[in-house]
mmCIF file of all heavy atoms in Angstrom:
data_model
loop_
_atom_site.group_PDB
_atom_site.id
_atom_site.type_symbol
_atom_site.label_atom_id
_atom_site.label_comp_id
_atom_site.label_asym_id
_atom_site.label_seq_id
_atom_site.Cartn_x
_atom_site.Cartn_y
_atom_site.Cartn_z
ATOM 1 N N THR F 288 0.839 -1.209 0.000
ATOM 2 C CA THR F 288 0.000 -0.002 0.001
ATOM 3 C C THR F 288 0.871 1.243 -0.004
ATOM 4 O O THR F 288 0.551 2.237 -0.688
ATOM 5 C CB THR F 288 -0.947 0.008 1.216
ATOM 6 O OG1 THR F 288 -1.775 -1.162 1.181
ATOM 7 C CG2 THR F 288 -1.827 1.236 1.225
ATOM 8 N N ARG F 289 1.960 1.215 0.750
ATOM 9 C CA ARG F 289 2.900 2.342 0.756
ATOM 10 C C ARG F 289 3.464 2.600 -0.633
ATOM 11 O O ARG F 289 3.524 3.737 -1.106
ATOM 12 C CB ARG F 289 4.043 2.078 1.739
ATOM 13 C CG ARG F 289 3.626 2.076 3.209
ATOM 14 C CD ARG F 289 4.797 1.701 4.103
ATOM 15 N NE ARG F 289 4.422 1.678 5.520
ATOM 16 C CZ ARG F 289 5.105 2.285 6.472
ATOM 17 N NH1 ARG F 289 6.202 2.978 6.196
ATOM 18 N NH2 ARG F 289 4.705 2.205 7.734
ATOM 19 N N MET F 290 3.883 1.531 -1.279
ATOM 20 C CA MET F 290 4.485 1.672 -2.611
ATOM 21 C C MET F 290 3.435 2.117 -3.642
ATOM 22 O O MET F 290 3.713 2.958 -4.494
ATOM 23 C CB MET F 290 5.108 0.357 -3.047
ATOM 24 C CG MET F 290 6.283 -0.115 -2.172
ATOM 25 S SD MET F 290 7.687 1.046 -2.147
ATOM 26 C CE MET F 290 7.383 1.935 -0.593
ATOM 27 N N LYS F 291 2.231 1.573 -3.544
ATOM 28 C CA LYS F 291 1.147 1.967 -4.445
ATOM 29 C C LYS F 291 0.800 3.440 -4.251
ATOM 30 O O LYS F 291 0.471 4.134 -5.214
ATOM 31 C CB LYS F 291 -0.095 1.107 -4.203
ATOM 32 C CG LYS F 291 -1.211 1.330 -5.210
ATOM 33 C CD LYS F 291 -2.366 0.385 -4.988
ATOM 34 C CE LYS F 291 -3.460 0.613 -6.037
ATOM 35 N NZ LYS F 291 -4.610 -0.306 -5.816
ATOM 36 N N ASN F 292 0.918 3.926 -3.026
ATOM 37 C CA ASN F 292 0.639 5.311 -2.714
ATOM 38 C C ASN F 292 1.609 6.259 -3.407
ATOM 39 O O ASN F 292 1.311 7.429 -3.602
ATOM 40 C CB ASN F 292 0.685 5.519 -1.206
ATOM 41 C CG ASN F 292 0.066 6.812 -0.756
ATOM 42 O OD1 ASN F 292 0.603 7.530 0.092
ATOM 43 N ND2 ASN F 292 -1.076 7.175 -1.327
ATOM 44 N N LEU F 293 2.776 5.747 -3.801
ATOM 45 C CA LEU F 293 3.778 6.554 -4.505
ATOM 46 C C LEU F 293 3.748 6.361 -6.011
ATOM 47 O O LEU F 293 4.530 6.978 -6.738
ATOM 48 C CB LEU F 293 5.168 6.209 -3.972
ATOM 49 C CG LEU F 293 5.497 6.742 -2.577
ATOM 50 C CD1 LEU F 293 6.701 6.019 -1.979
ATOM 51 C CD2 LEU F 293 5.764 8.255 -2.632
ATOM 52 N N SER F 294 2.837 5.525 -6.507
ATOM 53 C CA SER F 294 2.844 5.138 -7.913
ATOM 54 C C SER F 294 2.328 6.233 -8.851
ATOM 55 O O SER F 294 2.525 6.150 -10.070
ATOM 56 C CB SER F 294 2.023 3.870 -8.123
ATOM 57 O OG SER F 294 0.648 4.091 -7.835
ATOM 58 N N LYS F 295 1.652 7.249 -8.313
ATOM 59 C CA LYS F 295 1.133 8.334 -9.160
ATOM 60 C C LYS F 295 2.047 9.565 -9.187
ATOM 61 O O LYS F 295 1.754 10.544 -9.852
ATOM 62 C CB LYS F 295 -0.247 8.776 -8.649
ATOM 63 C CG LYS F 295 -1.311 7.709 -8.663
ATOM 64 C CD LYS F 295 -2.622 8.252 -8.091
ATOM 65 C CE LYS F 295 -3.672 7.175 -8.009
ATOM 66 N NZ LYS F 295 -4.951 7.703 -7.418
ATOM 67 N N ILE F 296 3.159 9.503 -8.485
ATOM 68 C CA ILE F 296 3.999 10.678 -8.318
ATOM 69 C C ILE F 296 4.785 11.023 -9.585
ATOM 70 O O ILE F 296 4.843 12.174 -9.993
ATOM 71 C CB ILE F 296 4.971 10.472 -7.133
ATOM 72 C CG1 ILE F 296 4.192 10.348 -5.831
ATOM 73 C CG2 ILE F 296 5.975 11.611 -7.057
ATOM 74 C CD1 ILE F 296 3.357 11.570 -5.476
ATOM 75 N N THR F 297 5.408 10.035 -10.182
ATOM 76 C CA THR F 297 6.230 10.311 -11.364
ATOM 77 C C THR F 297 6.382 9.038 -12.190
ATOM 78 O O THR F 297 6.342 7.916 -11.667
ATOM 79 C CB THR F 297 7.626 10.800 -10.960
ATOM 80 O OG1 THR F 297 8.411 11.011 -12.151
ATOM 81 C CG2 THR F 297 8.349 9.815 -10.061
ATOM 82 N N HIS F 298 6.553 9.222 -13.501
ATOM 83 C CA HIS F 298 6.804 8.107 -14.404
ATOM 84 C C HIS F 298 8.300 7.997 -14.711
ATOM 85 O O HIS F 298 8.698 7.102 -15.473
ATOM 86 C CB HIS F 298 6.049 8.317 -15.719
ATOM 87 C CG HIS F 298 6.484 9.528 -16.469
ATOM 88 N ND1 HIS F 298 6.139 10.821 -16.076
ATOM 89 C CD2 HIS F 298 7.260 9.676 -17.575
ATOM 90 C CE1 HIS F 298 6.675 11.689 -16.911
ATOM 91 N NE2 HIS F 298 7.359 11.034 -17.823
ATOM 92 N N LYS F 299 9.106 8.871 -14.127
ATOM 93 C CA LYS F 299 10.525 8.935 -14.461
ATOM 94 C C LYS F 299 11.341 7.988 -13.569
ATOM 95 O O LYS F 299 11.323 8.091 -12.349
ATOM 96 C CB LYS F 299 11.029 10.380 -14.350
ATOM 97 C CG LYS F 299 10.386 11.300 -15.349
ATOM 98 C CD LYS F 299 10.995 12.679 -15.354
ATOM 99 C CE LYS F 299 10.392 13.534 -16.480
ATOM 100 N NZ LYS F 299 10.961 14.890 -16.500
ATOM 101 N N LYS F 300 12.067 7.129 -14.229
ATOM 102 C CA LYS F 300 12.797 6.070 -13.529
ATOM 103 C C LYS F 300 13.876 6.617 -12.611
ATOM 104 O O LYS F 300 14.142 6.056 -11.549
ATOM 105 C CB LYS F 300 13.411 5.111 -14.547
ATOM 106 C CG LYS F 300 13.584 3.686 -14.053
ATOM 107 C CD LYS F 300 13.866 2.744 -15.209
ATOM 108 C CE LYS F 300 13.829 1.297 -14.733
ATOM 109 N NZ LYS F 300 14.008 0.340 -15.862
ATOM 110 N N ASP F 301 14.531 7.714 -13.031
ATOM 111 C CA ASP F 301 15.603 8.285 -12.201
ATOM 112 C C ASP F 301 15.043 8.821 -10.879
ATOM 113 O O ASP F 301 15.683 8.678 -9.837
ATOM 114 C CB ASP F 301 16.347 9.379 -12.964
ATOM 115 C CG ASP F 301 15.469 10.604 -13.231
ATOM 116 O OD1 ASP F 301 14.364 10.418 -13.792
ATOM 117 O OD2 ASP F 301 15.869 11.739 -12.884
ATOM 118 N N MET F 302 13.848 9.406 -10.928
ATOM 119 C CA MET F 302 13.221 9.912 -9.715
ATOM 120 C C MET F 302 12.822 8.760 -8.791
ATOM 121 O O MET F 302 12.987 8.836 -7.574
ATOM 122 C CB MET F 302 11.998 10.761 -10.054
ATOM 123 C CG MET F 302 12.318 12.089 -10.728
ATOM 124 S SD MET F 302 10.852 13.107 -10.987
ATOM 125 C CE MET F 302 10.393 13.485 -9.297
ATOM 126 N N ILE F 303 12.281 7.715 -9.384
ATOM 127 C CA ILE F 303 11.869 6.560 -8.592
ATOM 128 C C ILE F 303 13.080 5.903 -7.936
ATOM 129 O O ILE F 303 13.020 5.407 -6.804
ATOM 130 C CB ILE F 303 11.091 5.557 -9.464
ATOM 131 C CG1 ILE F 303 9.762 6.192 -9.856
ATOM 132 C CG2 ILE F 303 10.863 4.225 -8.748
ATOM 133 C CD1 ILE F 303 8.939 5.382 -10.844
ATOM 134 N N ALA F 304 14.220 5.926 -8.627
ATOM 135 C CA ALA F 304 15.452 5.387 -8.053
ATOM 136 C C ALA F 304 15.860 6.185 -6.808
ATOM 137 O O ALA F 304 16.255 5.610 -5.791
ATOM 138 C CB ALA F 304 16.570 5.394 -9.088
ATOM 139 N N VAL F 305 15.775 7.506 -6.896
ATOM 140 C CA VAL F 305 16.112 8.365 -5.754
ATOM 141 C C VAL F 305 15.140 8.130 -4.605
ATOM 142 O O VAL F 305 15.534 7.999 -3.443
ATOM 143 C CB VAL F 305 16.127 9.864 -6.159
ATOM 144 C CG1 VAL F 305 16.347 10.743 -4.932
ATOM 145 C CG2 VAL F 305 17.209 10.118 -7.198
ATOM 146 N N MET F 306 13.850 8.090 -4.928
ATOM 147 C CA MET F 306 12.831 7.874 -3.916
ATOM 148 C C MET F 306 13.011 6.507 -3.236
ATOM 149 O O MET F 306 12.879 6.387 -2.012
ATOM 150 C CB MET F 306 11.442 7.985 -4.543
ATOM 151 C CG MET F 306 11.068 9.389 -4.992
ATOM 152 S SD MET F 306 9.682 9.474 -6.155
ATOM 153 C CE MET F 306 8.361 8.825 -5.118
ATOM 154 N N SER F 307 13.321 5.505 -4.021
ATOM 155 C CA SER F 307 13.534 4.151 -3.482
ATOM 156 C C SER F 307 14.735 4.112 -2.555
ATOM 157 O O SER F 307 14.697 3.491 -1.483
ATOM 158 C CB SER F 307 13.751 3.155 -4.633
ATOM 159 O OG SER F 307 12.633 3.106 -5.471
ATOM 160 N N ASN F 308 15.811 4.780 -2.960
ATOM 161 C CA ASN F 308 17.018 4.827 -2.126
ATOM 162 C C ASN F 308 16.725 5.484 -0.787
ATOM 163 O O ASN F 308 17.121 4.995 0.274
ATOM 164 C CB ASN F 308 18.117 5.582 -2.879
ATOM 165 C CG ASN F 308 19.369 5.767 -2.056
ATOM 166 O OD1 ASN F 308 19.558 6.816 -1.412
ATOM 167 N ND2 ASN F 308 20.244 4.763 -2.041
ATOM 168 N N GLU F 309 15.993 6.626 -0.821
ATOM 169 C CA GLU F 309 15.686 7.352 0.420
ATOM 170 C C GLU F 309 14.697 6.571 1.276
ATOM 171 O O GLU F 309 14.857 6.501 2.509
ATOM 172 C CB GLU F 309 15.121 8.731 0.073
ATOM 173 C CG GLU F 309 14.975 9.657 1.273
ATOM 174 C CD GLU F 309 16.304 10.008 1.925
ATOM 175 O OE1 GLU F 309 17.337 10.016 1.223
ATOM 176 O OE2 GLU F 309 16.294 10.289 3.152
ATOM 177 N N TYR F 310 13.689 5.955 0.648
ATOM 178 C CA TYR F 310 12.691 5.210 1.418
ATOM 179 C C TYR F 310 13.344 3.995 2.081
ATOM 180 O O TYR F 310 12.989 3.627 3.207
ATOM 181 C CB TYR F 310 11.537 4.767 0.512
ATOM 182 C CG TYR F 310 10.222 4.601 1.242
ATOM 183 C CD1 TYR F 310 9.255 5.599 1.202
ATOM 184 C CD2 TYR F 310 9.938 3.441 1.980
ATOM 185 C CE1 TYR F 310 8.049 5.475 1.868
ATOM 186 C CE2 TYR F 310 8.743 3.306 2.652
ATOM 187 C CZ TYR F 310 7.799 4.324 2.601
ATOM 188 O OH TYR F 310 6.613 4.179 3.293
ATOM 189 N N ALA F 311 14.309 3.380 1.395
ATOM 190 C CA ALA F 311 15.010 2.232 1.968
ATOM 191 C C ALA F 311 15.807 2.658 3.205
ATOM 192 O O ALA F 311 15.834 1.939 4.216
ATOM 193 C CB ALA F 311 15.949 1.627 0.925
ATOM 194 N N LYS F 312 16.437 3.816 3.144
ATOM 195 C CA LYS F 312 17.190 4.321 4.308
ATOM 196 C C LYS F 312 16.252 4.563 5.483
ATOM 197 O O LYS F 312 16.586 4.219 6.629
ATOM 198 C CB LYS F 312 17.898 5.629 3.953
ATOM 199 C CG LYS F 312 19.031 5.492 2.938
ATOM 200 C CD LYS F 312 19.603 6.879 2.626
ATOM 201 C CE LYS F 312 20.718 6.805 1.599
ATOM 202 N NZ LYS F 312 21.236 8.149 1.250
ATOM 203 N N LEU F 313 15.092 5.156 5.211
ATOM 204 C CA LEU F 313 14.166 5.504 6.281
ATOM 205 C C LEU F 313 13.505 4.289 6.907
ATOM 206 O O LEU F 313 13.232 4.260 8.112
ATOM 207 C CB LEU F 313 13.093 6.450 5.729
ATOM 208 C CG LEU F 313 13.576 7.804 5.210
ATOM 209 C CD1 LEU F 313 12.515 8.489 4.371
ATOM 210 C CD2 LEU F 313 13.980 8.697 6.381
#
């Protein structure tokens, strides 16, 4: 549900990579 909640934010893979890296740290 958390990941689905972020699925409308951007279609750009580079942004999703940054978001994934930060979410993993948190």
Side-chain angles (χ1 to χ4, degrees):
T288 301
R289 291 176 181 230
M290 297 298 99
K291 187 176 181 181
N292 195 224
L293 286 163
S294 65
K295 299 178 184 179
I296 296 299
T297 178
H298 63 285
K299 295 187 175 180
K300 209 166 189 176
D301 66 307
M302 291 184 66
I303 292 174
V305 175
M306 291 163 64
S307 300
N308 176 265
E309 189 64 28
Y310 208 99
K312 292 177 182 178
L313 297 165

